[in-house]
Amino acid sequence: MMLRSSNGVLARIEFKGDKNNAISGTVSGPTGQVKISGSWDRAIYKHVKGSKGDQECLFVVPALHPLANRYYGCRFSMTLNELLPEDVPSLPLTDSRFRPDQRALENGEAQRASSIKQTIEQNQRNRSKEGHRPMWFSKQLDAFSKTDLWISKGKYWDAKEDQFKEASSGMVKIFTI
């Protein structure tokens, strides 16, 4: 994988695909180049020539939460779907934290979650036949990469500040079952 940033930093990362989930690569930029290695499911290290220990730990995968087998993830990923009452007014109707299938799964209702998910997906397939005009992004050809990118129209944060009062009338009610 190659990632290039507009600030001149270039990362070349190779995912080995072996049983150790190994990665290796280089990150280079205006100030120099460093090598990285490790495994995506344990830890990633930066190799520093001439330093004590020759490597610096950049990332360590945190321990799993005791309920990780129920919610399929680490503590951080479990909190991504948390819906706090004070957040509700500033969220668009399309925010994934409003997914009723996800709430059912979190409540241990796997069969109900599966049924709701199937309904949401069928509704989505039906809507896709009607066509859709994105509210927040427009597709533009990127001159640098020569690929299509979705670029912000710059209206989302204004709508969020307005608590989506005006924008909600144009939003598709994607989680209605």
Side-chain angles (χ1 to χ4, degrees):
M1 171 192 323
M2 185 172 77
L3 303 168
R4 185 184 313 254
S5 176
S6 61
N7 67 1
V9 173
L10 173 67
R12 294 177 192 264
I13 310 297
E14 181 183 354
F15 292 83
K16 305 284 186 181
D18 61 11
K19 64 182 179 182
N20 296 319
N21 300 320
I23 69 159
S24 66
T26 59
V27 178
S28 56
T31 60
Q33 179 176 329
V34 295
K35 292 183 179 184
I36 63 169
S37 68
S39 61
W40 59 262
D41 64 340
R42 287 188 291 283
I44 298 174
Y45 300 91
K46 173 175 81 170
H47 301 275
V48 183
K49 287 187 179 180
S51 71
K52 191 171 134 183
D54 196 41
Q55 65 184 15
E56 176 185 336
C57 185
L58 298 174
F59 173 77
V60 175
V61 174
L64 292 179
H65 187 277
L67 296 176
N69 64 336
R70 180 174 174 186
Y71 295 114
Y72 313 108
C74 66
R75 183 181 309 272
F76 172 72
S77 65
M78 290 171 57
T79 63
L80 292 176
N81 201 49
E82 186 173 10
L83 184 59
L84 301 172
E86 61 268 21
D87 292 339
V88 172
S90 64
L91 297 174
L93 302 171
T94 55
D95 191 287
S96 65
R97 289 171 280 188
F98 292 125
R99 287 184 66 120
D101 58 326
Q102 185 66 34
R103 291 285 163 235
L105 184 62
E106 289 172 353
N107 292 330
E109 304 171 86
Q111 294 285 47
R112 183 168 173 264
S114 179
S115 175
I116 293 170
K117 183 175 186 282
Q118 289 174 5
T119 300
I120 289 171
E121 288 174 348
Q122 184 58 50
N123 291 346
Q124 181 180 9
R125 284 188 285 276
N126 294 342
R127 282 192 309 272
S128 71
K129 296 172 188 171
E130 302 166 7
H132 175 67
R133 191 173 62 89
M135 289 183 74
W136 314 119
F137 298 91
S138 62
K139 190 189 292 189
Q140 297 176 12
L141 180 66
D142 179 54
F144 180 74
S145 66
K146 306 294 187 228
T147 59
D148 285 332
L149 298 178
W150 288 94
I151 307 298
S152 172
K153 294 179 181 179
K155 298 179 181 179
Y156 176 83
W157 296 108
D158 292 335
K160 184 175 178 72
E161 192 172 301
D162 184 45
Q163 296 186 334
F164 299 97
K165 290 177 184 139
E166 286 185 39
S168 65
S169 63
M171 287 184 199
V172 177
K173 315 298 187 263
I174 61 175
F175 300 129
T176 301
I177 52 173

